[in-house]
Amino acid sequence: MTNKKVKNWIIAIVVAVVYLSISFIFNVWAYSWFIWVAYAIYRFIEK
């Protein structure tokens, strides 16, 4: 894989870990989707 693909996979995994951590620790499943929206915006801008 190219460096960019590896970087994107690492970022995706980190976002997933942060999402799950925040959701479990604070029990805020309803609001944690903001993390995914921020990630989607980042991916759109990065392209």
Side-chain angles (χ1 to χ4, degrees), residues 11-21 35-36:
I11 291 171
I13 291 169
V14 169
V15 168
V17 168
V18 169
Y19 168 77
L20 289 173
S21 299
I35 296 169
W36 290 115

Side-chain angles (χ1 to χ4, degrees), residues 15-37:
V15 168
V17 168
V18 169
Y19 168 77
L20 289 173
S21 299
I22 290 173
S23 298
F24 278 122
I25 292 170
F26 298 109
N27 198 21
V28 289
W29 295 96
Y31 300 105
S32 57
W33 61 271
F34 284 118
I35 296 169
W36 290 115
V37 171

